[in-house]
Amino acid sequence: MSVSNLLENWSEFRHKHPVEDVPHDPYKWAMSIDLDACTGCNACSVACYAENNLPVVGKEKYAHGQAMHWMRIERYWPEDDREFPDQGAQFLPMMCQQCEAAPCETVCPVGATNHTPDGLNSQVYNRCIGSRYCSANCPFKVRYFNWYDYPTTENVWPAEMTQQLNPDITLRGKGVMEKCTFCIQRIRVGQRSVKNEGRVLRDGEVQTACQQVCPTNAITFGNLIDTESKVHQQWKAQRVELAVDEQTKDKEEGGSDLRGYRILEELRPYPSVMYMERVRESAI
Amino acid sequence: MIDNDFDRRDFLKVLGWGGAAVALSGCGNTSIEDGKETVVSYVHAADYVIPGISVYFNSTCAQCEAGCSINGRVREGRVLKLEGNTSSIINRGKMCGLGQAGVQHHYNPDRVREPLLRNGDKGETITWEKAYGLIAEKLNGVSGDQIDFLTGTVSGHLKVLLGNYLESLSSENHFVYEAVSPAVQRAANMKSYGMEMPRFSINKAKVVVSFGADFLGAWVSPVHFSQQYAEFRKGVDGQRGVLVQVESKMTITGANADRWLVVRPGTEGILALGVINALGAAGLQLPADVAAAVKGYDKERVSKDTGVSTEHLARLAALLKERTPSLVLLGSAAEGYAHGSENAAAINLLNHVLGNVGKTIEASSAVPFPQIAPATGNYAALRLANNRLADGQCKVLFTYATNPIFTAPTEMKFKENMAKAGFKVAFTHYLDETALQADLVLPLDSALEDWGTIVAEYQPDGVQIGVQQPLMEKLYPNTRGMGDILLALIKQRRAEEYKSFDDFYSYLRTALLKNKGEFAEAGVDEDVYWNDLLSAGIINVGGNVNKLVDKISTNIQLPPPPERDKDYPFTLIPSVTASLRDGRHTNQPWLQESPDPLTTIVWDSWVEIHPKKAAELGIVEGDILEVESRNGSIKAQAYLFPGIHPDAVSIPLGRGHEAMGRYAKGYGVNPFQILDRVFDKETAELAMHETLVKLRKTGQRIIVVKDEGPVGGSQQGRKIAVSVSSDQVDLSEEV
Amino acid sequence: MSKRHLLAIFSNFDEAEAAVKELRGSSIKGFDASQDLVVKSPIEHPEVEEFLGAKPVYVQWFTLVGALAGGLLAFFLISGAQANFFDQIKGGKPVVPFPPNFVLTYEMFILGGVYISVLGFFICAGLPARRSPLYSSKVSEDQIGILVKTDEESAGVLKGIFTKHDALEIQEEAGK
Amino acid sequence: MKDIREDIAWAKINKDVLKSLESPRKLYWAILTVAIAMVAVAVGCEVYQYNVGMGVANMDNPHVWGLYIATFIFWIGMSHSGTLLSAILHLMHADWRKPIYRFAEAMTTFSLMTAGLFVAVHLGRVWQIYYALPYPNERGVWPNFQSPLLWDAMAIFTYLSSSILFLYVGMIPDLAICRDNIHSGWRKKLYTLLSLGWEGTDRQWRNFRITYLTIACFLIPLAVSVHSIVSSDFASSQQPGWHITSFGPYFVAGALYSGCAAIITLFIILRYVFKFEEYMTLPILKKVVRLTFAIAMVWTYLNLIEYATVWYSHDEASKHVLIMKATGVYAPFWWMMNFCGSIVPLVMAFKRFQTNIPVMMVVSLLLNLGMWLERWMIVAPTFADGYYPWTWDHDQWPSFVQWGIVFGSFGWFTLLFMVFCKIFPSVSMYEVKEMVYHRSLANKKLEVTGMQESGKGAH
């Protein structure tokens, strides 16, 4: 700690983020989710429970709104007054959007949630004191608080089931906030293993649990900087840019015939998850 | 900045390896259960147990009958997570929620761990020797036709061994019962295509019209079809596939349809014939007999009978005519009526008319060794078994992988009839409803501890034999694999013949190696071959392709939709959900807490009712309704659900257990109990959708435990989940 | 030369004022009105300062120094901590963001000002103080006290002045 | 009617006030017992919550904040009136404040101490609360200075410690009086220690005056900053219904409002309990009531401005929150808040009610209820109807644990206040003397110039 460091690197400390001149390098993790492919089957959500040691809170606590599903599948109905939803329902997998300018990060009193150099919104369980301000300020409400001490709660993980727990991740005790991490444990293992080879991760070498399991490949995860990655190509093809609050394509006359969009983009959190609109056939 | 030359991670690495070495050479526990307190549980750790490093083994999922190949992550000798095996043509590396919950089946705290012998109302722990002795004793003096085996679907070498055992007992009474099965369809397909289960290529179709086939949820092989569906949506020749779903209660597949056509319950066949009629009207050349058969099904009549507007009917016909090939699927919703076979025939006829047979409906391959082909289950088998029990023809009953007391309608009195058998043996994982009625309960290894082969009924390409192998050591010393048990039992009869097999593993190995020539190149070493086979987890064989017939049957007798019954005005649709199915895995908490995709309800049962009807009856969400059929009543919370025909109500299957374990018992209700005994006329299958019910408000109201908020599926005008019409989007440049 | 303390008690400010004025006007050996005269009163009374003559108060300098130091400390402590705390970006804001730092600087500015002012008060007012040799609890009630220190031989003169101005009571004690 | 008689003997002032420090009456013990019982309830709830987890408070996702935060703001707000009376009115030489500012200042201190507890009670891991302190450490880990919660902590610490110093410094002359009049027991030692050898010398008074004035000058911007920082917990966030520019002044006005209402309540209680009719006179009450009325109208204005700007804006989400406040599950409380906050104070506009003690007691309690509801109506409805419709939650209701701790906080405050009143003079003796003295001087002047009017309206 020194004031000289402060003064010497003053301009660096005054940078806003994300900016063009200091991009993430070599990684910026991002997702794209094709809502036309998503069937709402919930496999991703179960995969998340399995991978990330999420507690099954039980009926009573679920009723109190204390469920811990980092990834939830939302189901929307058409909102005109049709008698039957004759174009089906619409499903939306919602998890932490890993915002580049995350509203949750600034408000944490102890700095338990930060932005990592590879563009993730990290959550430091050890540091968290449970003020829950991050959740209060999250527009998507994708942060989940440990209202109880689940590791010791009856029937959450009976002794037999503790053997299933993923040792790469800690169990969270009571009073700690948690959320989707883009399976950071997998990312870190991957990054470390390629570090020895002196290269960066290639597309597909790290998959998130939800992506890996998705039966329709609706979820694409990868490095947005890597031009070879599918996620990069999808964002590019959909003309969705990261650090804007309104996409150029949407400002064009007549709108856009591309499907990519981001949820609550206008609030300027710069989410790292792009959704692609569900399509419904016009001929039927 | 924190600048430190000493890399902490490197330090930990060094420490970690050193520590592991000490641990490896140190303590003396041999089982994981014993060694819980130690870092590493083995003295002589297997080669693959490297502390901190995960290893992956392929096996086969036993959570449903689809036969997906799984890839289990194992660390420190414990299986942690199941992924899909990427080389499996069934699931291509993907999984469903139910499959992933297999680890919770394995680690379930409510598994039976010791053989139990009934002693009054209690179970007394006994040894396996005693159990085997007891079975031998009870079988002594009982003739073969007094011994019944009631099982779920069995396939592979377990089926072979079971057959051999039955043969040794000179019993032919193997009843394969599945409460939820496409049995009517099998019969109809046999007639229409010459095989029970042809290959359906959704990915080759430009239009899929599904009559109640929930192929994205619980129908036949959902993970496989989901992948086909994804390709279908991406498009054949650049044209995005169009899905039309016809059903009375929206399934998850219906929720993903471009057009969901709600029909009056039971009129699926009428609609199918109506579409043929409309196709003819639109200029499609129909064979004369077909044209004659559908003559009466003009669009006004069909629209009146089914409730589908003439406009939609015309548009559907136009679309089918314009975009070929298409595919018409037939699912449980269309089958579940007294005229289910007729419905099925009508729907299959549509495929014939559209010329889909041979294009999107292709011949499946025969399993090269018929003895390992799956014995598919149906309801008729239970009926037979139940009759035998009722008549006292069965003295010794073995049950395996089935829970008939839970899934049989109460009116069958299966529980009472089962008591008539002198000696009941349940091979089971849980003390479920059926096991509780048994005299001897024999605990099984979990699917992740056991050996075996699984052959799925639906084979997407050739035949894939799934190899099931233990992903870790047994959790409990006194559980046994089903194969081992059968081998032990068969040795009681034919010791000489089977003496060379120490256990089921050696039986399996011998059996598979015997056919090495069929699967592998000549001259491969046996051990190499065996190891390759285990590491692949699957055996792909070409199999002889069955011959597809394109047989048109126009003798279809569809009844007009009945008048609504005044006393019982609603059709009860017992819905099959993707995660709970017939309730055999309800004790897996991930499945209980995984919200139903359409209602987002967890941990409980509910009654779906159309909001319009609910308003008429003054029902609001959370009202406890008594749903009463002629055969009983159950009480569950009301959920206002727009995706259901106003004449129908729907309750999901799978919940309402009175036993089985802490996560299943006492949650929800079991609609199997109140089903009416109406049967499909041709196949004698239980017509699951023929139960008529009435609703009564009990006056209680609760808050429904669900994930959706108070505004339900409304986005409140915010841009959250966006939908776009296909003519307003350019999919050509997409990646 | 030994000194002697005298405490005279007056019933009101007017009498005390008159006495003080006379004391300041007179020249008595061994008594310097600017140093050896202390007025004790039960209330804060601006006239006391007037008739005692202007005396400087330095508390405000403590305040100035305290406030500035507090503010500067805050800004540099906080900015320094931010710059050195793993250099973590939060919410897309600069690592050293001005708005929050100004808020905290402002608070520390006040905190420093208040603390150091109070410290200054104690220093300037000589608190905590040893009890003076002569004290009457009447001073904290409703009477005015004048405490003087003088040479033994001048005590009488002073007593005379106090008596002249209707002192209710005069205490005396041998000084050191 | 005069706000204080100018002919009260100073000795009598000492006697009357010191009497309040004597052995308590039964009523005192009764109140104290009730207060302790209330605290016991809160402690019980907190122990339960600490052991089992925050879930027992019935909070959920998205209702991550509840009554704790609302009540926290309430107590912080309560503290502002002390500063108003002691600092602002001091600078303005409104000397009618003198008999009542001491207890108001004590109220400031104790309500801050109560509010501080809510910060701890609210935390999921209260045992790690020290993470929020900026202490130097080996790992170079500091709290996040960007967080409004940290600003809160800093502001409250500053405010609390400055208030305590202000209270203490202002009390030193009175402590000396206590020292001079109480001659035995631990009290003697305590007063001797705390009075720091104060003898009322000219040097002491001279520095005292400047210091007191200086701290008062600091306290005014501090008080304003504290509550606007509390408002930035909400205004600096991004949530609909919170992200409102006018929140700073709105919170400050609300704070002064609830504080003044509390002063009226305590005024009436102390007047009755300690028989301070001579000092806490009805004319003073009238002045406080008028001040409260004025602040009530300022608050009403700011409240309406908040609604108006939200309504007039194009921010649909905020607008929806407002509509749901008025029509949703919280509607009864929201309307109650508006009624208590804007309609009830109209009673204060009537002269005959201004000095009617029972009416004012009821009104002041209703005002406080309204202001507590205001805080709750800021916190909860935004969670119930935030940006993301899927997570809206209209079923959440605070459990007995939350209510118990809120309930107990009033006991805690009462306990602290009661103990304070028995140990320290709750009326500033030396300042009342000053007041009486100045009144008598003014009278004298009037007599001299022969322009004395008949009693009324000297100030």
Side-chain angles (χ1 to χ4, degrees), chain D residues 195-315:
Chain D
S195 59
L196 301 176
W198 178 273
E199 290 186 351
T201 67
D202 53 311
R203 178 187 173 197
Q204 288 167 342
W205 279 120
R206 198 162 47 235
N207 285 293
F208 177 85
R209 182 168 60 84
I210 299 292
T211 309
Y212 200 69
L213 198 68
T214 309
I215 305 180
C217 290
F218 273 121
L219 273 188
I220 294 162
L222 176 60
V224 172
S225 78
V226 166
H227 224 59
S228 48
I229 283 173
V230 170
S231 85
S232 67
D233 283 352
F234 302 95
S236 303
S237 82
Q238 218 183 6
Q239 297 297 306
W242 286 4
H243 187 64
I244 292 171
T245 317
S246 68
F247 257 25
Y250 177 53
F251 269 55
V252 173
L256 293 176
Y257 187 10
S258 62
C260 283
I263 283 178
I264 296 175
T265 315
L266 289 178
F267 181 99
I268 294 171
I269 294 173
L270 287 184
R271 182 183 146 97
Y272 171 70
V273 171
F274 292 131
K275 303 194 169 64
F276 280 158
E277 287 88 350
E278 291 263 35
Y279 312 103
M280 299 186 178
T281 59
L282 293 181
I284 294 179
L285 177 63
K286 186 189 259 178
K287 288 193 172 87
V288 180
V289 168
R290 284 174 176 176
L291 182 68
T292 311
F293 177 72
I295 296 171
M297 292 304 109
V298 170
W299 178 83
T300 303
Y301 166 75
L302 286 166
N303 198 25
L304 292 175
I305 278 293
E306 186 210 317
Y307 301 158
T309 47
V310 168
W311 190 258
Y312 202 58
S313 75
H314 205 62
D315 183 353

Side-chain angles (χ1 to χ4, degrees), chain B residues 29 94 110 179 341 436 676:
Chain B
N29 287 297
K94 300 301 181 179
D110 297 315
S341 290
L436 280 181
D676 286 348

Side-chain angles (χ1 to χ4, degrees), chain B residues 85-282:
Chain B
N85 177 356
T86 44
S87 30
S88 159
I89 48 171
I90 294 178
N91 57 324
R92 284 183 259 178
K94 300 301 181 179
M95 290 285 277
C96 65
L98 176 63
Q100 295 179 80
V103 283
Q104 291 204 320
H105 179 60
H106 171 64
Y107 290 120
N108 204 291
D110 297 315
R111 275 177 61 189
V112 189
R113 300 171 196 195
E114 307 282 345
L116 297 170
L117 178 67
R118 173 175 292 280
N119 184 358
D121 275 345
K122 284 185 181 155
E124 180 191 316
T125 306
I126 58 169
T127 62
W128 277 95
E129 289 66 34
K130 194 173 169 201
Y132 288 143
L134 204 62
I135 291 174
E137 179 194 322
K138 295 285 180 184
L139 289 176
N140 201 8
V142 178
S143 73
D145 65 343
Q146 290 172 322
I147 302 165
D148 287 12
F149 255 82
L150 182 61
T151 72
T153 305
V154 286
S155 66
H157 292 84
L158 189 68
K159 184 189 155 205
V160 179
L161 208 53
L162 179 58
N164 294 353
Y165 181 52
L166 283 162
E167 197 189 316
S168 76
L169 296 170
S170 47
S171 165
E172 288 170 357
N173 303 320
H174 180 199
F175 301 104
V176 185
Y177 164 54
E178 287 291 338
V180 176
S181 74
V184 173
Q185 170 165 33
R186 287 185 195 120
N189 288 350
M190 199 67 195
K191 278 190 184 169
S192 307
Y193 313 128
M195 61 196 70
E196 287 188 339
M197 205 43 89
R199 285 159 48 202
F200 302 106
S201 302
I202 295 168
N203 51 346
K204 289 181 187 164
K206 287 182 177 161
V207 183
V208 169
V209 184
S210 159
F211 287 83
D214 183 16
F215 60 85
L216 298 175
W219 185 72
V220 179
S221 193
V223 177
H224 177 72
F225 290 132
S226 292
Q227 290 172 58
Q228 286 197 356
Y229 168 82
E231 287 177 36
F232 157 82
R233 285 303 199 193
K234 291 274 171 243
V236 183
D237 309 330
Q239 188 165 39
R240 178 179 172 277
V242 182
L243 172 64
V244 178
Q245 182 88 359
V246 181
E247 58 199 2
S248 310
K249 175 248 176 308
M250 185 180 274
T251 56
I252 188 171
T253 314
N256 285 291
D258 292 280
R259 184 62 66 187
W260 181 71
L261 295 176
V262 60
V263 293
R264 186 166 295 153
T267 59
E268 290 83 356
I270 296 177
L271 185 69
L273 296 186
V275 173
I276 299 175
N277 184 306
L279 280 167

Side-chain angles (χ1 to χ4, degrees), chain C residues 105-140:
Chain C
T105 301
Y106 182 80
E107 292 302 319
M108 283 280 276
F109 174 83
I110 291 175
L111 188 72
V114 171
Y115 277 30
I116 303 300
S117 294
V118 172
L119 182 69
F121 165 59
F122 289 155
I123 291 170
C124 295
L127 294 174
R130 284 170 164 273
R131 301 297 300 275
S132 55
L134 289 172
Y135 181 72
S136 164
S137 64
K138 284 286 174 192
V139 168
S140 69

Side-chain angles (χ1 to χ4, degrees), chain B residues 544-617:
Chain B
N544 294 322
V545 179
N546 290 324
K547 193 165 154 34
L548 194 69
V549 297
D550 192 351
K551 202 171 86 186
I552 292 186
S553 155
T554 55
N555 180 22
I556 299 167
Q557 310 294 330
L558 285 171
E563 291 292 309
R564 301 307 310 173
D565 189 311
K566 281 213 179 60
D567 296 333
Y568 294 91
F570 293 100
T571 297
L572 172 67
I573 299 178
S575 59
V576 183
T577 64
S579 51
L580 293 182
R581 309 285 177 99
D582 65 353
R584 70 181 64 179
H585 296 303
T586 314
N587 202 39
Q588 293 157 23
W590 287 342
L591 301 179
Q592 280 278 26
E593 195 148 310
S594 171
D596 172 65
L598 288 165
T599 61
T600 74
I601 294 173
V602 294
W603 286 101
D604 206 347
S605 300
W606 64 92
V607 184
E608 283 167 23
I609 182 167
H610 193 269
K612 200 177 82 179
K613 201 77 184 178
E616 256 174 54
L617 300 173

Side-chain angles (χ1 to χ4, degrees), chain B residues 37-98:
Chain B
E37 292 80 20
T38 57
V39 179
V40 175
S41 9
Y42 302 107
V43 182
H44 303 292
D47 291 346
Y48 53 83
V49 177
I50 304 165
I53 305 289
S54 300
V55 282
Y56 294 84
F57 294 100
N58 288 327
S59 182
T60 303
C61 180
Q63 294 276 95
C64 81
E65 292 78 46
C68 296
S69 184
I70 54 176
N71 183 246
R73 179 188 177 204
V74 181
R75 221 181 101 170
E76 280 93 48
R78 288 165 203 175
V79 58
L80 302 176
K81 189 171 188 304
L82 303 178
E83 306 284 3
N85 177 356
T86 44
S87 30
S88 159
I89 48 171
I90 294 178
N91 57 324
R92 284 183 259 178
K94 300 301 181 179
M95 290 285 277
C96 65
L98 176 63

